[in-house]
Amino acid sequence: MALIGSEVKKDEAFRKNEEYLLGMLNGLRARAEVVKLGGGKGATEKHRKRGKLFVRERIEKLIDPGSRFLEIGLFAAHGIYEEYGGAPSSGTIFGIGKIHGRDVVIVANDATVKAGAWFPITCKKNLRAQEISMENRLPIVYLVDSAGVFLPLQSEIFPDKEHFGRIFRNNAVMSSMGITQIAAIMGPCVAGGAYLPIMSDEAMIVDKTGSVFLAGAHLVKAAIGEEIDNEALGGATVHCEISGVTDHKMKNDEECLRKIRSIVGKLGERRKAQFSREQASPPKFPEKEIYGLLPIDRTKPFDMYQVLARLVDNSELDEYKAGFGKTIITGYARIDGWAVGIVANQRSVVKTSSGEMQVGGVIYSDSADKAARFIMNCNQKLIPLVFFQDVTGFMVGSRAEHGGILRDGAKMVNAVANSVVPKFTFVIGNSYGAGNYAMCGKSYDPRLILTWPTAQIAVMGGKQASETLLGIKVQAMEKGGEQISPEKQAKLLREIQERYETELDPYYAAARLWIDGIIDPLETREHISRGIEMAANNPEIPTFNPGVIQT
């Protein structure tokens, strides 16, 4: 293992970079605090007056004291449903928490947001929770408190393959896989949503606040003329003493959460994947220096080795093919003691062995070939992979095409797609075009995909995309007989750039669950460590088979 990185000069450029990123982090924290209020203080007080705990209080009491809840999808639905008054965090909180030292997926409705109604993104978020539970073989706990589907958007959530019904299908599949599912009915649970807790292994219901039925009192009266209230129709006494639908009658939220902890505490241990781990060591260089390393101007180069030196244990990297394919860095390292294979884009302009200068952030044939071979090696050695994305795409032009960039790019994409070891992706800068795919974007099943506030995700960079879109628009307008003055063209370009820049923003990606979250760079080591720890719960790693690869 070789020491990488060096002391950095904390000059004016460093300080400006640091100030800029710290400002972005302050903005991140401020937005997060607002989202965590759910439906607001007024709605939370009404919730408490009904004898209920706020959803985040429920989670805090459920997990081990002093442990950290690894939240996923905090900014889901951010800015999407504003015409309906918004849906902070899509009305559902989800993440991984420790219960008696065991990793457990927790999904909890926030009844202060539209009574916990399900929006289309809420459904997507719940499916992501079940996906993480299945691929990592983690128990899952559902804290149910929801009025059901948000009816104005029912057509976007009900009938398709990845819509509401998929959740109940997953309940059945997870049961067949031996994944423990525990449900707590802590509020309303209506119509199709009633199947989620009842298809779980064990269900409990809180007396006087929890209820579950296929149709509520109003619909029952309209359908068959029967007059009955919700408690008599499907309250805790009915389902624990008459129908037998639920298994435990709980007097309040606190008792219910203690019961869940008791059940999880008695679960047996299964065999785990034996990923290599040694005693953890901090990096040799201060992690906080990362703040000053990333340039404000995302077109300017920086040295990825310096960033990695502030993330990996002892700042040591056992580099693979160090002198070849230099726009991608590949190598073995440890993070919090875990052995990892690192694949990272290098934005600095680099010189090849033949003396050719290569633009940083671009994937060339040699770097794609190297990365594919390294990924295959990690699969042979059962070493989890960590991708650090700062990529503008694959090299274009006649020289690249004649050199077989399509073949070598396909080779890398194939290796990533067929990889069987856990993969974790961090977008720290640009993530454009097919480079997103090759560097294990969301389509390629990373166990976690997270960004730093400096990330941008799009089919191409803002400047190129805006100029392309402008050319198309101007051509169409001129074809229609309109004369476009330079002033009008400049105005159109500004409008296009503003819209496109909004779509590049990591919050735009987080709102749509293209990523699992936006994090402080200093949290990267912790997320990798927690991610590998949870992935180790699934020992069933298939034999690596990359299929047909052109050579």
Side-chain angles (χ1 to χ4, degrees), residues 96-110:
I96 294 96
K98 295 279 187 185
I99 301 178
H100 291 290
R102 182 192 295 265
D103 281 325
V104 176
V105 175
I106 300 167
V107 188
N109 299 121
D110 182 356

Side-chain angles (χ1 to χ4, degrees), residues 107-298:
V107 188
N109 299 121
D110 182 356
T112 70
V113 177
K114 301 288 188 297
W118 287 61
F119 289 78
I121 293 295
T122 316
C123 185
K124 187 174 182 179
K125 191 170 181 178
N126 277 260
L127 289 170
R128 176 65 174 141
Q130 291 181 320
E131 179 182 44
I132 286 177
S133 174
M134 285 189 280
E135 64 189 3
N136 297 293
R137 299 296 191 273
L138 298 180
I140 188 166
V141 172
Y142 307 100
L143 305 182
V144 185
D145 192 350
S146 171
V149 167
F150 186 66
L151 287 177
L153 296 172
Q154 65 85 26
S155 65
E156 299 176 38
I157 191 173
F158 171 63
D160 209 348
K161 181 178 179 180
E162 300 302 325
H163 283 179
F164 203 53
R166 188 74 173 183
I167 292 167
F168 317 133
R169 174 265 186 194
N170 286 351
N171 286 140
V173 170
M174 291 162 74
S175 182
S176 73
M177 294 168 67
I179 295 171
T180 298
Q181 300 177 81
I182 300 169
I185 302 164
M186 309 178 86
C189 186
V190 186
Y195 286 108
L196 185 146
I198 308 313
M199 291 187 73
S200 298
D201 302 325
E202 207 153 352
M204 54 207 69
I205 183 168
V206 178
D207 194 21
K208 301 298 186 291
T209 58
S211 58
V212 56
F213 31 64
L214 289 178
H218 292 297
L219 184 54
V220 166
K221 183 176 180 180
I224 63 173
E226 181 183 1
E227 293 199 16
I228 190 170
D229 62 37
N230 285 339
E231 185 65 25
L233 181 65
T237 299
V238 169
H239 286 309
C240 287
E241 299 176 17
I242 298 173
S243 73
V245 166
T246 53
D247 307 308
H248 308 282
K249 181 179 178 180
M250 303 285 101
K251 65 181 180 182
N252 54 37
D253 281 8
E254 287 88 346
E255 184 181 70
C256 184
L257 297 168
R258 287 195 297 270
K259 185 72 170 179
I260 295 170
R261 284 187 55 81
S262 178
I263 293 169
V264 173
K266 295 177 179 65
L267 297 180
E269 290 288 343
R270 296 182 182 273
R271 182 171 57 90
K272 294 191 176 186
Q274 299 301 306
F275 301 124
S276 172
R277 192 179 195 186
E278 294 181 353
Q279 182 67 38
S281 300
K284 295 285 187 188
F285 304 101
E287 292 176 64
K288 285 187 176 180
E289 290 181 347
I290 290 173
Y291 296 152
L293 292 173
L294 300 183
I296 298 170
D297 183 349
R298 60 195 318 109

Side-chain angles (χ1 to χ4, degrees), residues 333-354:
R334 289 193 181 272
I335 293 178
D336 197 34
W338 293 103
V340 296
I342 288 176
V343 182
N345 301 113
Q346 172 64 300
R347 198 192 290 183
S348 290
V349 177
V350 297
K351 184 186 288 187
T352 67
S353 56
S354 63

Side-chain angles (χ1 to χ4, degrees), residues 486-512:
E487 292 78 14
K488 186 165 186 177
Q489 190 163 316
K491 183 174 180 290
L492 285 171
L493 181 60
R494 283 195 302 273
E495 291 172 354
I496 291 169
Q497 284 176 333
E498 286 172 7
R499 179 175 61 82
Y500 201 81
E501 287 297 322
T502 298
E503 295 175 1
L504 285 170
D505 194 293
Y507 294 96
Y508 190 90
R512 290 153 181 80

Side-chain angles (χ1 to χ4, degrees), residues 19 61 114 123 163 174 204 225 447 469 479 529 550:
E19 183 180 354
K61 289 180 179 292
K114 301 288 188 297
C123 185
H163 283 179
M174 291 162 74
M204 54 207 69
R447 298 294 176 97
L469 289 168
K479 194 173 181 180
S529 182
Q550 290 190 15

